[in-house]
Amino acid sequence: MPDLKVSACLGAAVLALMAGTAEAGILPEGRSLENVTVAGEHFDVAVFRPASCQIRAILIVLAGKNRDSATYRDDAIPLARHECSLVFAPDFPMSRFPVQQYQRGGYPVSRAASYMKPLEQWTRSVSDEQRVPIILVGHSAGAQYLERVAAYAPGEESMTVIMNPSTYVEPETDTAVPYGFRNWPEPASLPDLRRYLARNIAVILGADDTETTSATYHSPAAAEQGRNRLERGQWAYAQAREQAEKLNVPFGWTITLVPATGHEASKMLASAELQDAIETAIRSASSR
């Protein structure tokens, strides 16, 4: 969670954004490129709006390590058309968001994951969609970023979809930030572990994503989570479920495997498993 100073800056930034976009009108149909400044950080955002349907959800899609946000936007277009949903794919360029800032969410120092909440608010303002659910979708490096958002800086998202990340935030206090909840720099504002376990998190894994990844070589904490992305995802889900039972709190996570699929973002974004998760989230939000 950001400190009060950071929160104030982000809040002021959101108000300024809303003032600046109030006259912008509805987003154009099809592909477009928007931009936004949050707490002094500029983001280019690749956008898609489907034609001739009533918008049912906002999908914020985060790219993998190559940060090819426009490609991820394009790969999500069939899903957006099927679910009549807006797609926003913010660009986190490597020059400003290296591994510690993106994959690790900036924790425990800069807390770059705190940008997601004002980005969510901006998508509502610029699209004039105030009531539809916001669903976060991340693949690989983008999924690692969203893991830190879910654990340390959640916003108003109805669901967070985590696809094929190399590392997870372990739901316990024995492992240090950014892989767990130990050594949080401000003990008085420790993130809520119980809330993390209860959040609607859909872990979707490629059944063939079994290549040993570089994360296991550079991070002992990542190596302890498993030998490959598939193994680490199954381990993280099982650990979270066990911890929820131990703490006697609601458990909101699900896990699904995409058959005959490895670490290919395009196949994951086109999967029936992702479509089912999005549809479930939309229906659940509309029934409340």
Side-chain angles (χ1 to χ4, degrees):
M1 294 174 62
D3 57 27
L4 293 177
K5 183 176 180 181
V6 173
S7 297
C9 290
L10 293 177
V14 171
L15 291 175
L17 287 169
M18 291 181 175
T21 58
E23 299 178 358
I26 303 300
L27 288 167
E29 293 181 348
R31 297 175 178 84
S32 62
L33 182 65
E34 305 292 328
N35 57 76
V36 59
T37 299
V38 173
E41 284 288 352
H42 173 83
F43 294 91
D44 292 324
V45 186
V47 181
F48 176 76
R49 183 184 185 92
S52 304
C53 64
Q54 184 174 350
I55 298 300
R56 303 175 69 217
I58 291 172
L59 309 181
I60 302 180
V61 179
L62 267 65
K65 68 177 183 179
N66 291 331
R67 320 299 174 88
D68 45 345
S69 56
T71 299
Y72 272 72
R73 183 268 316 271
D74 292 347
D75 286 341
I77 286 176
L79 173 65
R81 285 178 171 148
H82 188 274
E83 297 297 333
C84 193
S85 299
L86 295 168
V87 175
F88 293 88
D91 182 36
F92 288 77
M94 179 71 75
S95 60
R96 290 187 286 125
F97 295 92
V99 169
Q100 184 60 28
Q101 301 297 312
Y102 192 53
Q103 282 93 317
R104 309 295 178 261
Y107 290 92
V109 181
S110 71
R111 309 180 190 184
S114 296
Y115 291 124
M116 185 50 61
K117 186 173 182 178
L119 280 170
E120 290 178 5
Q121 294 171 316
W122 170 77
T123 65
R124 289 206 184 280
S125 175
V126 76
S127 67
D128 197 28
E129 296 290 348
Q130 301 300 321
R131 297 184 180 275
V132 300
I134 292 176
I135 301 170
L136 307 182
V137 180
H139 178 259
S140 191
Q144 292 188 69
Y145 180 90
L146 292 184
E147 261 283 282
R148 277 70 193 178
V149 170
Y152 306 138
E156 61 173 288
E157 60 273 6
S158 296
M159 172 184 277
T160 303
V161 180
I162 306 295
M163 300 191 298
N164 296 343
S166 290
T167 68
Y168 292 80
V169 178
E170 301 177 26
E172 40 83 1
T173 56
D174 294 330
T175 302
V177 175
Y179 300 101
F181 285 79
R182 181 170 62 83
N183 291 347
W184 187 256
E186 296 172 359
S189 61
L190 183 68
D192 192 338
L193 171 57
R194 295 169 182 262
R195 180 178 61 180
Y196 177 47
L197 291 166
R199 293 197 70 79
N200 188 2
I201 297 176
V203 179
I204 303 180
L205 307 171
D208 295 339
D209 194 5
T210 56
E211 180 183 4
T212 301
T213 60
S214 60
T216 60
Y217 302 118
H218 300 301
S219 171
E224 291 173 1
Q225 295 182 356
R227 294 169 297 179
N228 54 61
R229 297 184 188 92
L230 176 61
E231 191 173 284
R232 287 194 285 275
Q234 293 172 319
W235 174 87
Y237 174 82
Q239 188 195 45
R241 182 177 59 186
E242 179 181 343
Q243 184 73 303
E245 292 175 356
K246 181 178 178 181
L247 296 175
N248 193 28
V249 296
F251 183 49
W253 299 26
T254 60
I255 187 168
T256 311
L257 302 189
V258 181
T261 302
H263 200 63
E264 303 99 330
S266 58
K267 291 185 69 173
M268 295 295 290
L269 286 166
S271 68
E273 289 74 15
L274 175 59
Q275 181 179 304
D276 288 347
I278 298 298
E279 178 64 23
T280 298
I282 293 173
R283 290 188 178 184
S284 177
S286 64
S287 67
R288 291 199 288 269

